[in-house]
Amino acid sequence: MTDVLAVAEHRRGDLRDVSFEVITAGRELADEAGGDLHLAVVGGDVDGFAERLNREGVDRIHTVDEGEEFNHDVYAQALTQLCDEVDAGYVLTPNSVNGLDYAPAVSNALGLPIVTDVIELDAGGDGLVATREMYGSKVETTTELDADRAVITVRGAEWPPTEGSGDAEVSAFDADIDESAVRSTVTGFQEAGGGDVDISEADVLVSVGRGIEEEENIGLVRDLANALDATLSASRPIVDNDWLPKNRQVGQSGKVVTPDVYIAIGISGAVQHVAGMKGSDTIVAINTDPNAPIFDLADYGIVDDLFDVMPALIEEFE
Amino acid sequence: MKVLVTVKEVAEVEDDFEIEGTEIGPQYLNYDLNEWDDYAVEEGVQVGENVDDAEVVAVTIGPERSEETIRMALAKGADRAVRVWDEALEDVDLLDVGAKVRLLEAVVEEEDPDLVLSGVQAGDDAFGATGVALADAIDFEWAAVVNHLGLDVDEGVAHVHRELEGGVDEVTDVETPAVLTIQTGINEPRYASLRGIRQAQSKEIAPKDLSDLGLSAEDIESDLRLTDMYEPETESDATYFEGGPEETAGQLADLLRDTGVAE
């Protein structure tokens, strides 16, 4: 019998969707391991959060009333203590930017192995088997854990959110925070990007990715966008290279877009990109690699060299 | 001021490949410096350029083959390098985060850096956890997914931005010594100059095995075992346009006209 301690996530006063996904993943894992599902919420309006997190399948909610916003030192200390207190075998956190800012520290502090960015979990057999991707989503792997306890971070949108209301017992956990070990301070937030264009408002997006190879080739995609009276957007590598500004970035760390038509040019469709555009009505993909994950999502596809297809396409509209 | 940059040589996989057991066939792999580490090296070199008496040391865990990659970090401006390897590591198919931390912790003890920079994740196994776990192990402060760094050496503070989801940066002050995991796009990694490449030939790459680091085979025992590797099932139900570029472009143009996107 192994208990699971899942951890909720919030930012600037709001619970993030992943909180309800870790409840689902946590309940499944707890069922397979024959234990209870504990849920921790640290900082912010913990009582209000606890009320909203009280969903089906959660056995106990632990509130840690420390600070307003996320601080990894506070999270790491509180969760390490809480895990000991409730004697949880598995600590389950979102594989978010903040999750990756405290989960590895918790694993080190507890002397537990960590397995991150998990897309499937199976604790029904002898031990724990985690499915994860490697080589930029080119392959999936199963990893077996030679330990009966672990810290696990789960990828967003792989488990559905738990909806039904629950009857968990809510209690405050009085964590003993060593303030001298809190050596970082969040001083604020900044919206990245901004500027003249809001790609999330566009009806038609022509989006360019790594396949464009060189900065001077961006003009080719710009020409198509102009010909279609569409808005130009991009995947992360293009923005990292400063070939287009940050306000053009589609994806997890950029904008979420839902245009009528999304034309992905030389974009492989990494999970972080897909998170930002999967809600598009019609998706068209042009890519040389027939196995590119973007085709799993696309309604229409062309498997060919974009440098051959693009000039022909632009000519169609001239 | 000493900056330690952790770098990893990673394999990139060709579009067409075959899996042999729990590995990708070696003929389909091309080795290169991990993309995130390229940015971490650049950030380290920039710190070195802006701070008096700074030394930038690159450290890698990798076989002899990886010297080519770590020399790239030297050509871009790192002063010297440490390469950790041991026969005992050759049979390990998946070095887990805990094992990497124990190896790097031993290097940190020897080097005593003020700042450790690592990439957010590696392009191959993509755990994204080693930097923060290392920070906890060596009792450094840390910040994960940093896309802006302003270092105040006198105050002992790193002013960083952490790239959160949804186009929001968290602005945070981190006391040094610290481990920062560096996100792509934080800077513009330089190309190695011919002079840099020449100079790198005479820079030191110190090999360290387990006994050099005061470790034993027990310390690299991994709690994770790779048991299967397969290509994900494709779920594509896309309509594919077939033919040469003119034909496929023509069909797509028709679609765009039909849907009212174009006239």
Side-chain angles (χ1 to χ4, degrees):
Chain A
M1 202 193 85
T2 305
D3 283 0
V4 176
L5 173 63
V7 186
E9 182 162 318
H10 60 88
R11 188 199 297 169
R12 299 162 98 179
D14 285 322
L15 286 168
R16 302 194 64 237
D17 293 346
V18 282
S19 302
F20 302 100
E21 297 166 16
V22 289
I23 292 176
T24 311
R27 185 66 257 167
E28 280 178 23
L29 186 58
D31 282 343
E32 287 171 355
D36 284 345
L37 173 61
H38 299 259
L39 183 67
V41 56
V42 184
D45 172 19
V46 288
D47 295 326
F49 288 152
E51 217 168 284
R52 270 172 277 162
L53 289 165
N54 203 334
R55 301 246 171 132
E56 204 176 342
V58 183
D59 295 304
R60 285 187 66 185
I61 298 177
H62 306 269
T63 59
V64 182
D65 190 8
E66 293 279 348
E68 275 307 303
E69 290 295 340
F70 172 76
N71 176 289
H72 62 230
D73 295 305
V74 171
Y75 266 62
Q77 290 187 42
L79 294 170
T80 302
Q81 293 167 21
L82 183 57
C83 184
D84 276 340
E85 172 76 19
V86 304
D87 198 23
Y90 298 122
V91 180
L92 206 62
T93 86
N95 192 70
S96 56
V97 172
N98 282 348
L100 288 175
D101 201 37
Y102 68 84
V106 172
S107 87
N108 187 72
L110 291 168
L112 299 182
I114 182 167
V115 50
T116 60
D117 205 13
V118 169
I119 58 175
E120 213 178 302
L121 278 169
D122 181 4
D126 282 342
L128 186 76
V129 179
T131 304
R132 37 193 321 280
E133 295 181 340
M134 276 178 62
Y135 299 106
S137 307
K138 281 218 161 91
V139 298
E140 278 181 21
T141 62
T142 54
T143 301
E144 247 175 71
L145 219 70
D146 293 332
D148 48 11
R149 302 178 68 203
V151 176
I152 302 152
T153 74
V154 296
R155 178 179 288 181
E158 291 293 328
W159 280 265
T162 295
E163 305 281 0
S165 62
D167 51 4
E169 178 194 330
V170 180
S171 56
F173 177 69
D174 189 14
D176 182 17
I177 304 297
D178 174 5
E179 293 294 336
S180 71
V182 179
R183 294 168 299 189
S184 68
T185 314
V186 178
T187 60
F189 295 92
Q190 221 172 67
E191 309 292 331
D196 51 336
V197 180
D198 186 356
I199 54 170
S200 64
E201 296 288 320
D203 295 328
V204 182
L205 283 172
V206 174
S207 209
V208 55
R210 207 190 281 268
I212 200 72
E213 291 175 4
E214 303 281 345
E215 182 168 15
E216 55 261 33
N217 298 334
I218 297 276
L220 205 54
V221 189
R222 199 185 294 277
D223 287 348
L224 179 67
N226 288 341
L228 296 175
D229 202 16
T231 305
L232 188 59
S233 60
S235 67
R236 169 160 209 128
I238 303 301
V239 175
D240 278 350
N241 283 334
D242 275 337
W243 295 349
L244 284 174
K246 176 85 185 169
N247 61 6
R248 302 279 179 163
Q249 187 180 329
V250 174
Q252 206 165 68
S253 54
K255 285 263 172 63
V256 174
V257 298
T258 51
D260 298 336
V261 179
Y262 188 88
I263 307 176
I265 298 161
I267 292 176
S268 67
V271 58
Q272 294 85 351
H273 182 76
V274 166
M277 48 66 76
K278 63 183 173 198
S280 308
D281 273 353
T282 301
I283 296 168
V284 180
I286 304 173
N287 204 297
T288 45
D289 179 7
N291 299 317
I294 191 77
F295 288 120
D296 290 352
L297 226 69
D299 301 292
Y300 299 94
I302 296 175
V303 180
D304 204 347
D305 190 335
L306 71 90
F307 296 108
D308 294 331
V309 178
M310 292 293 289
L313 192 55
I314 293 162
E315 202 164 286
E316 286 278 340
F317 298 108
E318 274 174 354
Chain B
M1 174 93 198
K2 191 192 275 189
V3 184
L4 190 69
V5 186
T6 65
V7 299
K8 184 179 182 186
E9 183 188 68
V10 299
E12 279 168 28
V13 185
E14 290 177 5
D15 284 349
D16 293 308
F17 62 92
E18 277 169 38
I19 293 167
E20 298 165 6
T22 56
E23 289 176 358
I24 291 173
Q27 65 270 39
Y28 307 107
L29 300 178
N30 302 301
Y31 289 93
D32 205 347
L33 176 62
N34 178 38
E35 189 183 349
W36 285 264
D37 298 346
D38 197 17
Y39 290 87
V41 168
E42 177 63 34
E43 204 60 24
V45 170
Q46 286 188 16
V47 168
E49 287 168 346
N50 294 326
V51 176
D52 290 339
D53 297 325
E55 187 184 28
V56 181
V57 181
V59 56
T60 194
I61 302 168
E64 199 165 355
R65 186 196 59 226
S66 63
E67 292 219 345
E68 202 181 315
T69 298
I70 200 163
R71 214 170 278 287
M72 211 143 55
L74 295 174
K76 291 179 180 200
D79 296 298
R80 60 186 175 82
V82 175
R83 183 175 66 84
V84 176
W85 196 244
D86 197 283
E87 267 183 15
L89 284 160
E90 271 162 30
D91 303 326
V92 183
D93 65 341
L94 183 70
L95 201 59
D96 80 346
V97 173
K100 283 179 204 160
V101 165
R102 288 186 286 278
L103 291 168
L104 292 172
E105 188 181 0
V107 174
V108 166
E109 262 167 40
E110 281 198 356
E111 293 287 343
D112 193 23
D114 304 283
L115 189 65
V116 179
L117 302 178
S118 76
V120 162
Q121 64 179 50
D124 49 9
D125 57 18
F127 275 100
T130 306
V132 171
L134 174 68
D136 193 70
I138 61 179
D139 197 24
F140 276 29
E141 189 49 40
W142 72 86
V145 194
V146 170
N147 66 1
H148 172 82
L149 167 62
L151 191 63
D152 187 332
V153 177
D154 296 331
E155 294 285 325
V157 177
H159 304 284
V160 306
H161 288 194
R162 295 181 54 236
E163 185 188 273
L164 304 180
E165 294 85 357
V168 176
D169 284 356
E170 179 200 274
V171 184
T172 302
D173 288 345
V174 179
E175 289 178 27
T176 57
V179 178
L180 306 177
T181 78
I182 301 295
Q183 176 65 304
T184 58
I186 187 174
N187 53 40
E188 198 177 324
R190 70 194 67 190
Y191 291 99
S193 65
L194 280 173
R195 186 162 160 268
I197 292 167
R198 235 181 2 253
Q199 282 175 340
Q201 295 307 318
S202 56
K203 288 180 179 173
E204 181 195 27
I205 302 177
K208 301 271 181 194
D209 64 15
L210 290 179
S211 66
D212 291 331
L213 296 170
L215 298 173
S216 68
E218 245 173 55
D219 293 303
I220 53 158
E221 270 176 25
S222 185
D223 286 312
L224 305 182
R225 239 165 348 107
L226 213 53
T227 48
D228 197 9
M229 180 182 285
Y230 49 91
E231 289 191 58
E233 281 172 39
T234 54
E235 296 148 9
S236 178
D237 51 7
T239 304
Y240 287 94
F241 299 131
E242 310 277 350
E246 274 80 22
E247 289 164 81
T248 55
Q251 294 171 71
L252 176 53
D254 289 342
L255 172 80
L256 294 173
R257 288 188 198 103
D258 290 347
T259 51
V261 169
E263 284 160 16

